[in-house]
Amino acid sequence: MGGLGLIAIGVIAVFFIYFLITYNGFIKLKNSIEEAFSTMDVYLKKRWDLVPNLVETVKGYAEHEQRTLKEIVELRNCSYDKMSMNDKINQNNLLGKEINQLMALAEAYPDLKANTNFMELQIELSKIENDIVQSRKYFNAVVKEYNNKVEMFPSNVLAKIMHFTRREMFVANVEERENVKVSFK
């Protein structure tokens, strides 16, 4: 075996080592995304389970606000455990929008705002929302790192061969991006 054979073996060995390192990197990032989503999913599920209590509390005070309550109940009626990761993200974005409307309703009902049960639920929801924000930051950071690897050369070549594709980030919905409207009457 001559020098050319050794060079060929060396090139193949380098390529093989690169393949293993890159492939394992993809697997590590994929698992990190799943772990990050699982953490966030715990908080999303807590919020999901808190919604019926909020709706029931508001129902007694806001009988003529049935449209908002009905939309929240319909969103909430989906079987959470059977949803895919993307479905959970989409449903929770919609649910977040409806919860914001529900909280806005409370402003119109002073008795509701003063209700102890509603106040406790509101405090619990606020804590859960903070946990969701923190876990969403981590999830999006891991997804960004993964997406960079999927799209950047030379790892993008292996990504295409091994069918590693971009993942969607958990982005804020339009209502979360708008300025908070404060009104003193």
Side-chain angles (χ1 to χ4, degrees):
M1 183 180 287
L4 200 53
L6 289 175
I7 291 174
I9 289 174
V11 168
I12 291 170
V14 167
F15 178 75
F16 183 72
I17 291 169
Y18 171 78
F19 174 84
L20 287 178
I21 291 170
T22 304
Y23 180 79
N24 287 338
F26 276 118
I27 297 301
K28 181 180 176 185
L29 287 170
K30 182 179 88 58
N31 291 336
S32 292
I33 289 171
E34 290 170 6
E35 181 264 336
F37 184 79
S38 293
T39 300
M40 183 172 48
D41 195 38
V42 168
Y43 301 119
L44 294 174
K45 180 74 166 113
K46 278 184 178 181
R47 178 173 69 175
W48 191 262
D49 291 340
L50 183 68
V51 168
N53 295 330
L54 276 169
V55 169
E56 286 304 313
T57 303
V58 172
K59 264 186 189 177
Y61 290 90
E63 285 299 322
H64 63 282
E65 304 289 356
Q66 293 301 313
R67 183 201 61 78
T68 300
L69 298 174
K70 183 180 177 205
E71 287 178 14
I72 291 173
V73 169
E74 285 175 6
L75 274 172
R76 177 56 185 71
N77 281 338
C78 299
S79 179
Y80 190 83
D81 295 331
K82 294 180 182 174
M83 288 186 217
S84 69
M85 184 187 312
N86 286 339
D87 289 341
K88 286 179 180 181
I89 289 171
N90 292 333
Q91 285 295 96
N92 271 286
N93 280 337
L94 292 171
L95 188 62
K97 175 185 164 197
E98 295 299 328
I99 288 172
N100 288 341
Q101 289 180 352
L102 186 66
M103 291 300 134
L105 281 178
E107 295 299 318
Y109 299 95
D111 290 345
L112 175 59
K113 280 176 54 176
N115 178 289
T116 306
N117 191 29
F118 182 76
M119 288 172 44
E120 288 172 4
L121 290 169
Q122 198 172 19
I123 289 168
E124 188 174 342
L125 180 63
S126 178
K127 289 177 185 175
I128 291 169
E129 292 296 333
N130 286 335
D131 291 337
I132 290 171
V133 167
Q134 295 306 315
S135 60
R136 182 166 51 187
K137 282 182 191 177
Y138 176 63
F139 175 80
N140 285 343
V142 174
V143 169
K144 181 186 93 177
E145 188 177 339
Y146 173 84
N147 286 344
N148 285 344
K149 192 165 188 154
V150 166
E151 295 176 353
M152 295 173 84
F153 184 79
S155 60
N156 67 338
V157 175
L158 181 62
K160 285 181 181 168
I161 292 169
M162 301 305 294
H163 305 289
F164 290 108
T165 57
R166 277 185 57 82
R167 295 285 186 106
E168 293 298 316
M169 291 191 177
F170 194 156
V171 296
N173 60 37
V174 174
E175 288 76 22
E176 290 179 58
R177 295 176 191 204
E178 291 177 359
N179 288 334
V180 175
K181 295 175 183 133
V182 178
S183 172
F184 296 102
K185 295 181 181 181

